[in-house]
Amino acid sequence: MATPVSESAVGTADLETVREFAQQLRVDSVRSSTSAGSGHPTSSMSAADVLAALVARHLRYDWDNPEDPANDHLIFSKGHASPLIYSIFKAVGVVSDAELINGYRRFGERLQGHPTPILPWVDVATGSLGQGLPDGVGVALAGKYLDKVPYRVWVICGDSEMAEGSIWEALDKASYYNLSNLIAIVDVNRLGQRGPTELGWDLDTYARRVESFGARAVVVDGHDIAAIDEALAGAEDATRPTVILARTHKGAGFSETADKEGWHGKPFPPDMAERAIAELGGERNLRIRGPVPGPDFPRPEPFSRPAITLPSYELGAKVATRRAYGQALAALGARTDVVALDAEVSNSTYSEDFGKAYPDRFFEIFIAEQQLVAAAVGLSVRGYVPFASTFAAFFSRAYDFIRMAAISQADIRLSGSHAGVEIGADGPSQMALEDLAMMRAVGGSTVLYPSDATSAAKLVEIMADLSGVSYLRTTRGAYPVLYGPDEPFAPGGSKVLRRSDGDTVTLIGAGVTLHQALAAADTLAAEGIAARVVDLYSVKPVDAATLLDAARATGGRIVVAEDHYPEGGLASAVLGALDDSGLPLSVRHLAVRSLPGSGTPEELLDAAGISAKHIVEAARDLLR
């Protein structure tokens, strides 16, 4: 093995130093993955020249102050090439060689198999391909339209992920918003996991596709440092989004792997690693740092967060919770950190109320739900409080982005309208009947389902300060206001709307089924049956204490009615909360158990077996 080169400190490196830097990145990618016994050295080696030039000469970043709002952003969409980004962190001096070699992919260590924001220099978690560029669109939107600071967003993509539709959603929206501060660099190394990629080295087709989406395509030899440097410099002064298509060789720099199939995701055995390091010129310990944003570089204005005056509603007035969402969101817009996004249904979700009041902080993402969620994640990177809304059913299209948002530790707020069979004649394609289960399954999520306008407005305000992924399920139809303006609400809470010492059965609902449960309780009361009624507006976390108290008071007799498929919704939350109670339970679970069709809300609720009539029958059955 060659003798290590001595350490040197570099400001803006010359091109020969960049070449040495690239070789160091290759060597360290090999060393770290071989030591770990897993990883992607060849995917890292292909992009080493591009990243060396970027980090050494173009990325404006203060590595000692990653929170500086003037810093550029570097997003590794091809997160499997983590040996490369971690080798960069070593070269800039924020990760030691010992951590790189002994901490990579080890239990309890921060250099995980794919980058996550546990590291302060990582904005978003990547590894699920096709997500880094959409997230970058959100960061770039913040830079151009909100922060109004000329930082650039550099996104490193793999060529395999160019087959993902989300990449093209991102380029489409980047062009629509003219995000000239967004530069994607595609490592076109021709080889995917199991063999050649869809287009291989057909750079002309890549370029045509990029240009057709309104972005600027630049084709470059990804191993020609001078050509790379020129392309990066040109991207800094572009007037529209840039995509640099870098033709590279997977496993570049080592003759045994360069452009060879069968090496994706495979570390080199120790003897092979030794040969690779020798062929690459041996270990180096260059310390490389590029330009930093100086003290006179523009920084964004601090946020203003005045007191909020929420809309109030008369008791008994019929108001849809989706309408209350829009009105509360508009009220919340007095905070300059709050932004809203919608997927071309803002006149149904009523996020248009915010858009009319604060058009400079409202982003129309059109029918591109993956980009909708990704833009929210990117905006959260910059400290904004994003609310993203669409029909609840269509968040299922973006579910991978939602789960990755949780891994990114992003704080985003999602609002889904038109939930359940209650929406009526539109039919099942528009009915969210899986969304509660979907959102409950997201790590650390908060899932809220208000039953009236007052609770909806209060929960919108609360969501603004929640961490993680939060979800508000709103209802299409207008229903009576149940709560006065001073009624408190909180995640993990519930409301008991009917209670007596003689209660013999508990009726649990949320949203539309809460109103059906109240009607059922009135019918039962006329028969001399006292029913306790619980508004389970917080589905996650759930109010276990109130549920336990109700179960004890009513002899374990519980009816749960939900406008949702049986799996994973209200009843799942209720039974999970009572699972360890030791109480004998008699539960009737009313849910949508067959494929619905079109009809009036009343017809559909009744046909699904979740209307007041069916709740009454279930309660009577428990009491027989």
Side-chain angles (χ1 to χ4, degrees):
M1 190 175 293
T3 304
V5 177
S6 60
E7 180 174 341
S8 61
V10 179
T12 301
D14 58 44
L15 295 185
E16 186 53 42
T17 302
V18 172
R19 291 185 181 92
E20 283 295 302
F21 180 26
Q23 293 295 77
Q24 174 173 308
L25 296 178
R26 289 188 173 95
V27 167
D28 286 345
S29 294
V30 170
R31 294 173 63 226
S32 58
S33 54
T34 294
S35 175
S38 66
H40 293 258
T42 58
S43 297
S44 300
M45 295 161 79
S46 59
D49 295 306
V50 172
L51 266 296
L54 174 63
V55 171
R57 292 174 61 86
H58 300 276
L59 183 76
R60 288 194 300 253
Y61 199 93
D62 185 346
W63 293 98
D64 296 324
N65 184 17
E67 299 301 319
D68 188 338
N71 282 337
D72 282 356
H73 291 261
L74 176 60
I75 297 175
F76 246 65
S77 194
K78 53 174 287 178
H80 57 282
S82 57
L84 178 56
I85 190 65
Y86 298 152
S87 295
I88 289 170
F89 293 163
K90 172 204 162 178
V92 300
V94 293
V95 164
S96 69
D97 187 73
E99 182 178 10
L100 176 66
I101 303 306
N102 301 316
Y104 179 50
R105 286 181 168 241
R106 267 60 160 211
F107 178 75
E109 299 290 340
R110 60 181 186 164
L111 302 187
Q112 298 175 8
H114 294 76
T116 73
I118 194 172
L119 296 162
W121 317 281
V122 174
D123 287 330
V124 293
T126 54
S128 181
L129 293 176
Q131 298 214 11
L133 187 58
D135 289 345
V137 167
V139 180
L141 283 171
K144 180 164 186 171
Y145 293 100
L146 302 175
D147 292 337
K148 298 181 179 177
V149 172
Y151 54 75
R152 288 81 55 94
V153 183
W154 306 86
V155 183
I156 313 306
C157 300
D159 50 355
S160 286
E161 67 182 316
M162 300 301 282
E164 287 279 10
S166 56
I167 290 289
W168 304 100
E169 284 186 17
L171 288 177
D172 179 59
K173 300 307 171 290
S175 298
Y176 177 79
Y177 282 106
N178 195 29
L179 299 179
S180 56
N181 55 344
L182 179 68
I183 305 104
I185 303 171
V186 185
D187 178 22
V188 186
N189 63 29
R190 189 186 73 84
L191 294 174
Q193 177 167 328
R194 61 96 191 98
T197 58
E198 181 181 4
L199 294 181
W201 278 325
D202 186 354
L203 279 297
D204 290 340
T205 297
Y206 277 122
R208 286 196 304 271
R209 291 182 180 183
V210 165
E211 292 281 351
S212 73
F213 276 83
R216 171 176 170 265
V218 179
V219 176
V220 67
D221 179 345
H223 300 307
D224 182 334
I225 297 293
I228 294 167
D229 187 64
E230 183 179 349
L232 295 173
E236 295 178 22
D237 299 322
T239 58
R240 56 182 172 138
T242 295
V243 178
I244 296 173
L245 300 160
R247 186 185 190 277
T248 64
H249 291 87
K250 199 163 186 173
F254 180 38
S255 56
E256 294 182 38
T257 60
D259 195 32
K260 299 289 197 307
E261 294 187 29
W263 282 102
H264 183 90
K266 294 181 180 178
F268 301 165
D271 60 332
M272 187 176 178
E274 187 168 350
R275 293 195 303 275
I277 292 168
E279 188 173 331
L280 289 164
E283 293 182 30
R284 299 157 176 82
N285 289 296
L286 292 170
R287 173 74 175 273
I288 302 288
R289 288 196 174 189
V292 298
D296 297 329
F297 202 84
R299 265 74 174 177
E301 295 293 325
F303 294 130
S304 172
R305 294 174 178 168
I308 302 301
T309 302
L310 289 174
S312 60
Y313 306 95
E314 292 184 13
L315 289 172
K318 289 188 174 182
V319 183
T321 54
R322 62 185 173 122
R323 168 63 81 178
Y325 166 75
Q327 293 170 338
L329 187 59
L332 204 60
R335 290 177 44 164
T336 60
D337 58 346
V338 173
V339 298
L341 311 92
D342 202 276
E344 207 189 290
V345 289
S346 60
N347 59 338
S348 288
T349 64
Y350 287 107
S351 68
E352 67 175 8
D353 293 355
F354 182 97
K356 291 173 182 176
Y358 303 99
D360 57 332
R361 283 186 273 132
F362 179 83
F363 297 101
E364 178 59 74
I365 307 299
F366 301 98
I367 306 297
E369 290 86 4
Q370 295 178 105
Q371 184 57 66
L372 175 75
V373 174
V377 171
L379 288 161
S380 75
V381 166
R382 298 296 308 144
Y384 289 94
V385 176
F387 284 80
S389 50
T390 187
F391 286 10
F394 304 149
F395 276 122
S396 60
R397 190 180 298 249
Y399 190 61
D400 191 27
F401 284 78
I402 297 169
R403 80 171 184 93
M404 286 296 293
I407 297 171
S408 289
Q409 302 172 48
D411 300 333
I412 63 171
R413 297 106 191 131
L414 308 176
S415 177
S417 70
H418 292 65
V421 301
E422 185 273 345
I423 72 167
D426 279 344
S429 70
Q430 313 296 295
M431 297 171 177
L433 292 165
E434 314 86 358
D435 57 316
L436 294 177
M438 181 174 79
M439 297 299 185
R440 286 181 66 229
V442 173
S445 64
T446 301
V447 180
L448 305 169
Y449 188 10
S451 300
D452 83 332
T454 298
S455 56
K458 292 284 186 75
L459 293 172
V460 169
E461 182 181 27
I462 289 167
M463 286 171 74
D465 295 313
L466 290 180
S467 59
V469 175
S470 53
Y471 175 63
L472 186 80
R473 190 189 214 216
T474 65
T475 303
R476 183 178 188 272
Y479 294 89
V481 173
L482 302 171
Y483 304 106
D486 296 327
E487 190 74 26
F489 293 86
S494 67
K495 296 292 179 183
V496 180
L497 292 175
R498 298 280 195 279
R499 180 202 300 267
S500 75
D501 292 338
D503 291 341
T504 56
V505 62
T506 297
L507 311 181
I508 299 173
V512 64
T513 61
L514 188 276
H515 296 274
Q516 298 296 319
L518 289 170
D522 291 342
T523 298
L524 291 168
E527 300 174 5
I529 300 171
R532 185 164 299 192
V533 179
V534 178
D535 177 1
L536 201 70
Y537 67 81
S538 179
V539 185
K540 180 188 178 184
V542 70
D543 186 355
T546 294
L547 293 174
L548 182 59
D549 180 64
R552 284 174 174 154
T554 59
R557 291 181 289 272
I558 297 172
V559 179
V560 182
E562 56 182 314
D563 194 359
H564 190 272
Y565 283 141
E567 297 82 9
L570 293 186
S572 178
V574 169
L575 294 175
L578 298 176
D579 188 50
D580 296 327
S581 67
L583 291 175
L585 300 175
S586 297
V587 178
R588 294 295 181 270
H589 178 198
L590 309 184
V592 182
R593 295 181 182 274
S594 60
L595 182 66
S598 293
T600 67
E602 294 75 19
E603 290 170 333
L604 290 166
L605 290 168
D606 193 57
I610 57 175
S611 64
K613 177 181 74 175
H614 294 280
I615 297 172
V616 168
E617 291 172 355
R620 288 173 182 156
D621 183 54
L622 285 174
L623 291 165
R624 287 191 180 102

